[in-house]
């Protein structure tokens, strides 16, 4: 009897303060939908590995049976710690982020690429300034009225100050709907070292790379590293670090899949030399298979932008990534597209969810099925519309 295909999936989330169980429940819910649509059998089981948080899958496809262990590489604690700035601190972050991106020329370079993610980057700036303007307007009018009615200037000033703070506090309490503070914390984290990784993140990446190094020596058919959103460039750095150690796969296929990447937001910053070098190095490696999946319908990602080429670090020997489109306009039904209209964050998560008209990109078949990433996309060419024009600062 042929043994099942065996895989380890290491998943790197983006800038997300939510605990990793969010991804387990998302996988549970969406895999059931996708399996029903596509007609394969996929069941989730308790995580059998000793390391990390995750789950196991057992699946039966027309091509055969497969078993996968999925582990979430957790850095949500670092995200949470970076989001502790209060109202005043967040406005301070806003000024610093604007200064870094404008004065470094990164914003000008980003504007040469997709408008969607640039507008998404400007959204928290515009929203925070609007909240501040509303607070000052309401507070100024109320303070003036109190001063006029009472004839006490300082009472009007005190009223204005208290009301302004109250309006800003109310606006922040609604951030679960507006996401202005969340996005500003995200960009502030990226820009905190002008593109260099903070020490805490570097230490976490070392631990993640150690886990990856253990995996490539296991008796597996594939080790699949998946990075979503800002987790995409962290996955790139992890894999580059592994290969620089000389740890080439000893048996399992070594695959990388980046989803909804925002690489230019970090790689275009002045001190992102480490990330730019990682992109250049990884793009020429022969021991891996790297697929980058984005969609023009996702306004939060740099859709179809080759993360290596647009950063300006592609060499003559560039092999990766294979740039593919998830093509939301074709893989999502009109009803599903209408349901997600204007829901930017939900669209940005769609790569991890079920498609009701799936093409060859099927997250659950890729992570739980019996084919390696290389076999699944063998012979594929880049999707039409791939953007490879250099816009970033390149290598020194």
């Amino acid at each position: 009897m042929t043994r099942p295909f065996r895989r380890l999936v290491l998943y790197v989330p983006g800038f997300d303060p939510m605990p990793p169980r969010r991804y387990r429940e998302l996988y549970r819910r969406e895999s059931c939908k996708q399996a029903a649509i596509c007609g394969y059998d996929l069941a989730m089981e308790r995580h059998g590995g000793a390391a990390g948080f995750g789950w196991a899958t057992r699946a039966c496809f027309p091509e055969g049976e497969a078993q996968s262990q999925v582990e979430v590489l957790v850095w949500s604690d670092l995200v949470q710690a970076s989001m502790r700035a209060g109202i005043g601190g967040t406005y301070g972050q806003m000024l610093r982020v604007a200064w870094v991106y404008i004065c470094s020329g990164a914003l000008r370079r980003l504007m040469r690429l997709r408008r969607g993610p640039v507008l998404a980057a400007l959204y928290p700036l515009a929203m925070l300034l609007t909240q501040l303007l509303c607070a000052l307007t309401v507070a100024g009018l109320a303070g003036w009225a109190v001063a006029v009615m009472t004839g006490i200037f300082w009472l009007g000033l005190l009223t204005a100050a208290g009301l302004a703070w109250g309006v800003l506090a109310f606006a922040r309490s609604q951030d679960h709907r507006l996401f202005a503070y969340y996005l500003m914390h995200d960009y502030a984290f990226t820009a905190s070292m002008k593109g260099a990784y903070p020490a805490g993140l570097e230490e976490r990446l070392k631990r993640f790379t150690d886990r990856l190094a253990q995996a490539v020596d296991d008796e597996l058919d594939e080790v699949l590293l998946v990075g979503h959103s800002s987790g995409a460039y962290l996955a790139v750095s992890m894999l580059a670090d592994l290969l620089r150690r000389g740890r080439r796969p000893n048996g399992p296929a070594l695959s990388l899949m980046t989803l909804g990447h925002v690489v230019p937001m970090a790689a275009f910053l002045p001190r992102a030399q480490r990330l730019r070098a990682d992109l250049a190095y990884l793009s020429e490696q022969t021991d891996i298979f790297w697929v980058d999946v984005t969609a023009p319908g996702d306004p939060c990602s740099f859709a179809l932008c080759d993360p290596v080429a647009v950063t300006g670090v592609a060499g003559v020997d560039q092999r990766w990534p294979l740039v593919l489109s998830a093509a939301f306009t074709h893989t999502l039904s009109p009803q599903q597209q209408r349901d997600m209209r204007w829901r930017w964050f939900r669209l940005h998560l769609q790569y991890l969810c079920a498609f009701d008209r799936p093409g060859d990109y099927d997250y659950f078949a890729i992570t739980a099925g019996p084919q390696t990433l290389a076999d699944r996309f063998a012979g594929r060419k880049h999707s039409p519309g791939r953007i490879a024009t250099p816009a970033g600062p390149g290598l020194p």
Side-chain angles (χ1 to χ4, degrees), residues 208-286:
F208 292 167
T209 306
D210 290 343
R211 176 67 188 105
L212 183 59
Q214 294 172 4
V216 296
D217 290 332
D218 290 344
E219 294 183 1
L220 297 165
D221 295 297
E222 181 179 40
V223 175
L224 173 60
L225 181 60
V226 179
H228 175 244
S229 192
S230 51
Y233 59 77
L234 300 184
V236 166
S237 290
M238 282 175 55
L239 190 50
D241 286 348
L242 177 82
L243 297 179
R244 286 196 188 99
R245 293 182 187 181
R247 297 301 302 275
R248 305 285 163 167
N250 183 22
L254 185 54
S255 307
L256 171 64
M257 183 166 66
T258 48
L259 306 173
H261 82 79
V262 291
V263 168
M265 292 300 299
F268 284 19
L269 290 172
R271 292 183 58 197
Q273 295 96 335
R274 190 255 219 257
L275 175 56
R276 292 194 289 270
D278 293 343
L279 287 163
Y281 175 76
L282 202 62
S283 70
E284 298 179 354
Q285 300 307 301
T286 59

Side-chain angles (χ1 to χ4, degrees), residues 167-186:
V167 172
L168 290 175
F170 174 77
R172 188 186 185 193
S173 73
Q174 301 302 304
D175 205 59
H176 61 287
R177 296 187 178 94
L178 302 175
F179 299 106
Y181 280 80
Y182 164 74
L183 284 171
M184 185 50 64
H185 294 316
D186 186 353

